[in-house]
Amino acid sequence: MSLRLYNTLAAAKEAFVPLDPANVRMYVCGPTVYDRAHIGNARPAVVFDVLFRLLRQLYGEAHVSYVRNITDVDDKIIKAHQQTGEPITSITERTTRDYHHDVSVLGCLPPTTEPRATHHIADMIAMIGELLARGHAYTAEGHVLFEVASDPGYGVLSRRNTDEMLAGARVEVAPYKRSPFDFVLWKPSQADEPGWDSPWGRGRPGWHIECSAMSRRYLGQTFDIHGGGQDLIFPHHENEIAQSTCAHGGQPFVRYWLHNGFLMAEGQKMSKSLGNFYTVHELLAEFPGEAIRLSLLQTHYRQPLDFTRAGIQQCRQALNRVYTALRDLAAVPCVEPAAPPAVLGALSDDLNTPEALAHVFALVGEAHKAEPSEQAAIKAQLLGAGALLGLFGQDPVKWLRWRPQPPVDGEELQHLIIETMIEERRQARKARDFARADRIRSELAAQGILLEDGAAGTTWRRA
Ligand code: AMP
Ligand code: ZN
């Protein structure tokens, strides 16, 4: 089955041909660890996890290297430390742990390597030295800057003209820059800021050089796939290309650039700065991680995805159908799981997860009607498709018994859970499942929450 991927660099879908099929190499920009991940940050983790699983299936598990970094030196981290007084390592370690927890509950495999920026400062200093030696960087007031004018290829990924670049993203104008496009490779640190000794004084790296240095360390100068969200195309990925190609005398850096679309909330990109975000942590108190994962995979990864709780709730119900089928097939002897060709074909077509899922749900329909002689094959196909998508791996009975686990804190969260249960009850009644509707009502009553049905729907009050 041949894999095709949409390459931002070519602005087209291309056949994927790895440089070395015995070692397929992918790098994805990971989190900056100053705060909990929101569900938008989870989108690239889940999308590239599916690609990782697919590559492992196509090339063999031992033949895929997936590197996802941890950015643990950044001005946002310093700011968080200044605001709360919590030591920097405590912030970064706690947030890294939270991130690992969140993405594992979302069904993501750990990457092959997860380098931390602070463990690779020497690699960054070495690369900055190479850029200076080759005439692509200059020093000014304790900073080292990349000189964009020295790179004739600059702009190859984002295809922006200089006006758009200036108007576009975070291009900082500073008096020590020769041009506003020049970006920081190294900057001086104040005494109370994290810093490392370097040929240019005590300081810390810029964000872009981290990824160039760490990807080279683990994947070499040229590798196959680089991923991240669309917001990273410019300036982050454009600058990574400039650094890496210029440090390597023009040798190509990455062959396929993949970018996921935005997760949207209330019509805007979900982001910390806009405040329109939901952390994975808070959603996990309301929904099983697998339902959240499915909600991220039901839309093609390059499309914008509107976040709604109702959407996740529908995914939970869809998974209930799958797990009910798997529970009913529990006694059927398991043959080797293998994804059906239609699912593999859809995923190989630029990760068409919505189409792959449509095939899976058709299979679930077949499972319910299957003759005993067909059941083993259907079970194997369901489990095989699930393994590729990172779904259906749980104990069906446990899944079907899952219920929201409200954290002790958070009045607001409790309200959300109540609303979710009311919505579930409404759905149950619509489906004439009155026993279930009554169970939800009594469960809430046991917590002192009384439901009142009226013409305008159901409201609640405390007993
Ligand atoms: P950050 O921690 O902000 O650097 O983001 C980590 C990853 O999440 C990057 O790959 C971003 O492109 C991605 N990302 C951030 N916000 C969103 C969003 N609303 N939708 C999809 N991806 C996002
Ligand atoms: Zn990066």
Side-chain angles (χ1 to χ4, degrees):
M1 189 94 40
S2 65
L3 174 59
R4 292 175 67 76
L5 295 172
Y6 184 92
N7 186 353
T8 308
L9 201 54
K13 243 192 244 183
E14 295 184 329
F16 174 72
V17 184
L19 275 172
D20 174 7
N23 184 19
V24 181
R25 288 162 287 166
M26 169 162 84
Y27 185 96
V28 174
C29 298
T32 303
V33 283
Y34 69 103
D35 205 356
R36 284 192 185 277
H38 60 65
I39 174 86
N41 300 131
R43 193 176 189 192
V46 168
V47 162
F48 292 106
D49 177 69
V50 173
L51 181 54
F52 181 39
R53 287 168 186 267
L54 178 64
L55 292 170
R56 281 156 55 107
Q57 164 104 11
L58 298 175
Y59 295 93
E61 281 189 13
H63 302 295
V64 185
S65 303
Y66 170 24
V67 178
R68 188 184 62 210
N69 71 294
I70 299 274
T71 295
D72 59 354
V73 47
D74 185 272
D75 288 355
K76 287 190 231 105
I77 301 172
I78 298 177
K79 205 167 147 205
H81 157 68
Q82 285 164 349
Q83 281 168 352
T84 63
E86 183 178 358
I88 292 211
T89 49
S90 159
I91 297 177
T92 56
E93 277 169 24
R94 177 173 54 75
T95 313
T96 302
R97 262 197 316 275
D98 289 343
Y99 184 78
H100 285 157
H101 171 264
D102 288 350
V103 293
S104 79
V105 181
L106 294 182
C108 298
L109 299 171
T112 325
T113 314
E114 196 174 47
R116 287 167 199 230
T118 53
H119 295 185
H120 296 80
I121 303 289
D123 289 326
M124 299 171 205
I125 290 176
M127 200 171 209
I128 296 170
E130 291 161 43
L131 287 168
L132 280 164
R134 287 179 183 267
H136 290 292
Y138 58 93
T139 54
E141 297 179 25
H143 293 71
V144 185
L145 293 135
F146 184 93
E147 182 156 34
V148 167
S150 75
D151 176 15
Y154 194 80
V156 65
L157 183 70
S158 53
R159 290 184 207 83
R160 291 177 184 226
N161 63 37
T162 46
D163 287 346
E164 285 168 335
M165 284 186 199
L166 266 183
R170 305 176 267 178
V171 176
E172 192 194 348
V173 182
Y176 50 79
K177 286 185 179 181
R178 288 185 192 161
S179 146
F181 301 120
D182 296 350
F183 56 88
V184 166
L185 299 170
W186 188 263
K187 62 175 148 190
S189 288
Q190 306 291 323
D192 60 350
E193 291 172 341
W196 291 262
D197 289 330
S198 81
W200 319 288
R202 184 176 172 281
R204 57 188 190 276
W207 172 36
H208 317 301
I209 196 72
E210 294 179 13
C211 290
S212 282
M214 290 188 283
S215 63
R216 175 168 82 176
R217 160 70 55 197
Y218 295 100
L219 301 175
Q221 295 188 356
T222 306
F223 57 93
D224 299 301
I225 299 173
H226 193 314
Q230 271 166 3
D231 53 339
L232 300 189
I233 296 175
F234 183 84
H236 184 53
H237 290 164
E238 195 68 65
N239 292 353
E240 280 188 42
I241 296 176
Q243 295 164 154
S244 295
T245 50
C246 290
H248 304 144
Q251 189 179 313
F253 174 41
V254 167
R255 302 172 68 235
Y256 302 87
W257 284 92
L258 269 63
H259 293 99
N260 64 270
F262 293 141
L263 192 96
M264 311 288 285
E266 292 123 33
Q268 281 179 303
K269 176 195 166 197
M270 184 178 286
S271 75
K272 298 256 168 78
S273 51
L274 289 174
N276 60 346
F277 65 90
Y278 299 89
T279 63
V280 176
H281 176 77
E282 64 188 317
L283 291 171
L284 284 175
E286 259 183 275
F287 303 102
E290 197 170 331
I292 300 175
R293 181 178 179 97
L294 179 59
S295 75
L296 294 173
L297 294 177
Q298 273 195 326
T299 300
H300 187 260
Y301 77 94
R302 283 194 286 117
Q303 300 301 320
L305 192 168
D306 278 318
F307 169 83
T308 61
R309 286 199 160 72
I312 303 181
Q313 187 54 26
Q314 278 162 14
C315 287
R316 185 174 173 201
Q317 277 153 8
L319 286 166
N320 284 344
R321 285 200 296 283
V322 180
Y323 277 112
T324 304
L326 286 172
R327 182 198 58 194
D328 296 346
L329 293 173
V332 174
C334 197
V335 291
E336 183 71 18
V343 170
L344 200 55
L347 292 179
S348 299
D349 179 15
D350 193 31
L351 291 188
N352 193 338
T353 52
E355 196 185 309
L357 287 164
H359 290 301
V360 168
F361 289 114
L363 259 183
V364 175
E366 284 176 37
H368 287 301
K369 295 180 291 199
E371 297 295 327
S373 61
E374 301 161 339
Q375 285 176 337
I378 292 183
K379 183 174 175 182
Q381 292 190 354
L382 266 182
L383 292 175
L388 259 183
L389 291 158
L391 299 169
F392 324 145
Q394 304 187 47
D395 173 351
V397 173
K398 268 200 189 141
W399 165 274
L400 292 166
R401 289 182 185 165
W402 189 93
R403 67 184 198 121
Q405 290 124 29
V408 272
D409 60 336
E411 175 75 4
E412 199 185 342
L413 200 57
Q414 201 199 359
H415 288 207
L416 293 171
I417 292 166
I418 296 169
E419 301 296 343
T420 306
M421 291 174 74
I422 291 175
E423 173 60 20
E424 268 189 54
R425 175 169 166 271
R426 196 183 67 79
Q427 300 272 357
R429 281 160 52 128
K430 210 170 114 196
R432 308 191 65 77
D433 186 352
F434 297 110
R436 181 168 149 69
D438 287 344
R439 271 200 308 280
I440 294 173
R441 176 192 277 276
S442 353
E443 209 174 300
L444 284 167
Q447 296 171 34
I449 309 294
L450 301 184
L451 301 188
E452 289 175 346
D453 295 314
T458 304
T459 56
W460 64 273
R461 66 178 174 85
R462 293 196 194 277

